[in-house]
Amino acid sequence: MPPDGDFAERARARQGKLTKPPGSLGRLEEIAVRLAAIQRTDTPKTRPRAIVLFAGDHGVTEEGVSPYPSEVTGQMIANFHAGGAAINALSRVADAELSVVDVGTLSNPAVRCGTRNFVREPAMTEEEMDAAIEVGRSEVRRLEGVRILGLGEMGIGNTTAASAMTAALTGRSVAAVTGRGTGVDGPGLLRKVDVIERALALHSPKTPRAILASVGGLEIAALVGVCLEAAEGGVAILVDGFITTAAFAVAWKLEPAVKDYAFFSHVSVEPGHEALHQLMDVRPLLDLELRLGEGTGAALAIPILDAAVAAHNEMATFESASVSDKAR
Amino acid sequence: MPPDGDFAERARARQGKLTKPPGSLGRLEEIAVRLAAIQRTDTPKTRPRAIVLFAGDHGVTEEGVSPYPSEVTGQMIANFHAGGAAINALSRVADAELSVVDVGTLSNPAVRCGTRNFVREPAMTEEEMDAAIEVGRSEVRRLEGVRILGLGEMGIGNTTAASAMTAALTGRSVAAVTGRGTGVDGPGLLRKVDVIERALALHSPKTPRAILASVGGLEIAALVGVCLEAAEGGVAILVDGFITTAAFAVAWKLEPAVKDYAFFSHVSVEPGHEALHQLMDVRPLLDLELRLGEGTGAALAIPILDAAVAAHNEMATFESASVSDKAR
């Protein structure tokens, strides 16, 4: 169901009558217009909202691509539940519910105990991938009524998966789209690039589904499911950092209309992130040099959506406020 | 009283222990460290906060530099009090008190009924300028206890004043630092540049005070007073758009230490704004293509400061959360 052009047009007309020079609220105006179209209403809303954080482990960590061991994924899930992670603090500030879903980690075989090491074999079978996608879809259905869904993820090794996906999706060189992730050192970065190059040479994935299955991740597949289900249900999503954007890009390749429902919260310092934004011709809202993931960028962008909608719904018009709107 | 280096160092050390890769919260980490130093505390706060909006009229509007008549300044003040302007909506979202101070408009001779037409004579006398500066200073004293002061302004014609000030402060050409303001058309923009060039040729102001008195504005002088008083009182300020940044730049020329207390919320589409940021070597937090003023950019940046402080104060450490912080 595509966003509604009539509501967009009415929202645009209203923006022109509000007590401000036309266009002076910049990107806030575009946000309000798009939310009106997505929600098919004259008064778009940003509440309730939620951050959906999917976690998964990655077999490729065996290759030494991250300075942290895979055990940290599970430890961080415990930290999320205890309320001590960055996304807990930022979700509180954004007044967003935080939902954490373990799609498959070392100690939890939800779909499976982490992906296979994709330098040797595909990360997932098609069946496992589809099961992970369904985890994401069902989470969106569970959160029915939520107006804004912020995407988040956690998974030691997942910048390696996202860089592999990005190289395959964009055709750029692995070196150009691979960064330090959580902070791998110089030799580690070279190793990471080499691992990704070997994996892509081994699998040569051609389709978005083949890319996701061969070098993706369980949490990434779940996020693809979120993007598809949200767009089908007419729910706006707020994409976070590099990993969630890689997931979004796969969903966009499968179903270009998902772009109509998406806002891009920020550009991270991971070089592959900007490559994905360019591929899809989208412009993120923030550049705060984040490289954490978890949905932290999405949480930071929520108040911008709130502001866009508040201005749209609550401002007086030139007429109602008796303010002159004409040149002398 | 300069910000405290010991608190900055302790805040930086704490950032390194929180459950995230070091540096991964990007500019949020720098914000938290600076607020800790400004407030001399281990747990910086962003509440209570206020937006202080100063309004004033400009005699130079006689020259046709704005598509709106000066009467709109007073009409917008009424709109602020009725709650119908953009800054009302955005202050509510930011949970910030909004304080509106009329420093001198057509119908209110607070300091005087707007500035003189600066293409013919200085905008203000030294005495009027000092009275306006004191209006800003006293507003800061009235708001004692507020932790974050967002700067805002309203005044038809004030981008003309700010562009004149920016050309004088930076030495750049008038054409390079003059934009369309509220939306002047092509011939209007040429007229605006010509008016500013003639004014600067007439006054040739050399000192920051001479620049402010000759081509500034009453609301701009009040904002200079806010910057000086806030820094003296150890209060963080959040600079808004082009006009408040021009005011801040004068305060910075008078007292370079004010920079230690300032955060720059956004870069507007007015070309002079970026010129001022470059002059002072500062980097704004947001780029949302705003060009409204009123404090709207400052209001949008408040939740980013909230997020920075929430992460700093509320996150668990690797030790407390039993998360591995070492490479394998």
Side-chain angles (χ1 to χ4, degrees):
Chain A
M1 188 166 79
D4 193 300
D6 288 345
F7 283 104
E9 204 169 304
R10 280 155 62 160
R12 221 169 270 124
R14 174 166 168 81
Q15 282 288 331
K17 293 178 192 159
L18 301 177
T19 49
K20 59 178 176 53
S24 62
L25 277 176
R27 299 192 66 189
L28 298 194
E29 301 190 12
E30 150 205 335
I31 291 169
V33 168
R34 290 191 58 213
L35 281 174
I38 290 169
Q39 298 176 2
R40 299 165 179 267
T41 176
D42 292 326
T43 51
K45 291 185 175 48
T46 53
R47 291 172 196 273
R49 60 285 197 92
I51 306 280
V52 287
L53 189 168
F54 296 87
D57 268 320
H58 292 261
V60 72
T61 54
E62 285 174 13
E63 307 295 328
V65 292
S66 170
Y68 294 89
S70 277
E71 284 72 18
V72 166
T73 306
Q75 291 166 354
M76 284 301 296
I77 292 173
N79 196 20
F80 298 140
H81 287 301
I87 191 58
N88 297 104
L90 270 55
S91 295
R92 282 191 288 267
V93 168
D95 191 23
E97 182 190 337
L98 174 65
S99 150
V100 177
V101 181
D102 184 342
V103 195
T105 48
L106 291 192
S107 59
N108 176 14
V111 171
R112 57 170 282 126
C113 287
T115 52
R116 295 175 187 81
N117 182 349
F118 62 57
V119 80
R120 301 204 192 139
E121 56 189 327
M124 298 168 271
T125 64
E126 291 245 333
E127 293 68 29
E128 287 159 355
M129 175 178 73
D130 285 328
I133 289 173
E134 181 51 31
V135 169
R137 282 186 175 274
S138 70
E139 184 65 9
V140 175
R141 291 194 296 270
R142 188 182 75 77
L143 291 167
E144 197 189 337
V146 163
R147 295 287 188 3
I148 308 282
L149 271 176
L151 310 185
E153 47 58 45
M154 169 72 209
I156 296 298
N158 69 8
T159 59
T160 302
S163 288
M165 292 170 63
T166 301
L169 288 163
T170 64
R172 299 201 195 195
S173 75
V174 172
V177 297
T178 302
R180 291 176 186 271
T182 52
V184 83
D185 60 8
L189 180 58
L190 295 177
R191 196 159 54 233
K192 189 171 168 179
V193 169
D194 175 64
V195 162
I196 296 169
E197 284 175 343
R198 284 191 284 134
L200 292 175
L202 173 67
H203 306 298
S204 296
K206 301 293 179 224
T207 67
R209 282 178 57 87
I211 292 169
L212 181 59
S214 63
V215 297
L218 295 162
E219 80 282 35
I220 298 175
L223 286 159
V224 172
V226 169
C227 297
L228 295 170
E229 185 81 19
E232 289 168 20
V235 177
I237 59 175
L238 199 39
V239 182
D240 182 41
F242 180 38
I243 288 96
T244 62
T245 306
F248 180 85
V250 167
W252 169 74
K253 284 276 189 183
L254 293 170
E255 177 50 68
V258 298
K259 196 170 140 178
D260 295 333
Y261 297 86
F263 296 85
F264 294 84
S265 59
H266 80 112
V267 57
S268 81
V269 298
E270 276 290 309
H273 200 186
E274 176 61 15
L276 291 171
H277 289 144
Q278 286 180 13
L279 173 72
M280 300 186 285
D281 190 23
V282 297
R283 230 158 29 116
L285 292 165
L286 298 168
D287 179 2
L288 295 168
E289 299 173 11
L290 306 175
R291 52 180 175 82
L292 179 53
E294 297 182 3
T296 48
L300 283 163
I302 285 176
I304 295 174
L305 272 53
D306 289 339
V309 158
H312 188 79
N313 295 341
E314 299 170 20
M315 279 179 72
T317 62
F318 281 105
E319 196 181 337
S320 73
S322 303
V323 174
S324 310
D325 66 342
K326 287 285 190 298
R328 281 178 293 186
Chain B
M1 188 166 81
D4 193 299
D6 288 345
F7 283 105
E9 203 169 305
R10 279 155 62 162
R12 220 169 272 124
R14 174 165 167 81
Q15 283 288 333
K17 292 178 193 160
L18 301 177
T19 49
K20 60 178 176 53
S24 62
L25 277 176
R27 298 192 65 190
L28 298 193
E29 301 190 11
E30 150 205 333
I31 291 169
V33 168
R34 289 191 58 213
L35 280 174
I38 289 169
Q39 298 177 1
R40 299 164 180 267
T41 175
D42 292 327
T43 52
K45 293 186 175 44
T46 53
R47 290 173 197 274
R49 61 285 197 91
I51 306 280
V52 287
L53 189 167
F54 296 87
D57 268 320
H58 292 261
V60 72
T61 54
E62 286 174 14
E63 307 295 328
V65 291
S66 171
Y68 294 90
S70 277
E71 284 73 16
V72 167
T73 306
Q75 292 165 354
M76 284 300 297
I77 292 173
N79 196 20
F80 298 140
H81 288 302
I87 190 57
N88 297 106
L90 271 54
S91 296
R92 283 190 286 268
V93 168
D95 191 23
E97 184 190 337
L98 174 64
S99 151
V100 177
V101 181
D102 184 342
V103 195
T105 49
L106 292 191
S107 59
N108 176 14
V111 172
R112 57 171 281 126
C113 287
T115 52
R116 295 175 187 82
N117 182 350
F118 64 57
V119 80
R120 300 201 193 142
E121 55 190 327
M124 298 169 271
T125 63
E126 291 244 333
E127 292 69 29
E128 288 159 355
M129 174 178 75
D130 285 329
I133 289 173
E134 180 53 28
V135 170
R137 282 187 176 272
S138 70
E139 185 64 9
V140 175
R141 291 193 296 269
R142 189 182 75 76
L143 291 167
E144 197 190 336
V146 162
R147 295 286 188 5
I148 309 281
L149 272 176
L151 310 186
E153 47 57 47
M154 168 72 208
I156 297 297
N158 69 8
T159 58
T160 303
S163 288
M165 292 170 63
T166 301
L169 287 164
T170 65
R172 300 201 194 194
S173 75
V174 173
V177 297
T178 303
R180 290 176 186 272
T182 52
V184 84
D185 60 8
L189 180 58
L190 295 176
R191 198 160 52 235
K192 188 170 169 180
V193 169
D194 175 63
V195 162
I196 296 170
E197 284 174 343
R198 284 190 286 134
L200 292 175
L202 174 66
H203 305 299
S204 296
K206 301 293 179 224
T207 67
R209 282 178 58 88
I211 292 169
L212 181 59
S214 62
V215 297
L218 294 162
E219 79 282 35
I220 298 175
L223 286 160
V224 172
V226 169
C227 296
L228 295 171
E229 185 80 20
E232 289 169 19
V235 177
I237 59 175
L238 200 39
V239 182
D240 182 40
F242 181 36
I243 288 96
T244 62
T245 306
F248 179 85
V250 167
W252 169 74
K253 284 275 190 184
L254 293 170
E255 178 49 67
V258 298
K259 196 170 140 179
D260 295 334
Y261 296 87
F263 296 86
F264 294 84
S265 58
H266 79 111
V267 58
S268 82
V269 298
E270 276 290 310
H273 200 185
E274 176 60 15
L276 290 170
H277 288 144
Q278 286 179 14
L279 173 71
M280 300 185 287
D281 190 24
V282 297
R283 227 157 32 115
L285 292 165
L286 297 168
D287 180 1
L288 295 168
E289 298 173 12
L290 306 176
R291 53 180 175 84
L292 178 54
E294 297 183 2
T296 48
L300 282 163
I302 286 176
I304 295 173
L305 272 53
D306 289 339
V309 158
H312 188 79
N313 294 341
E314 300 170 19
M315 279 179 72
T317 61
F318 281 104
E319 196 179 338
S320 73
S322 304
V323 174
S324 310
D325 66 343
K326 288 285 190 299
R328 282 178 291 188

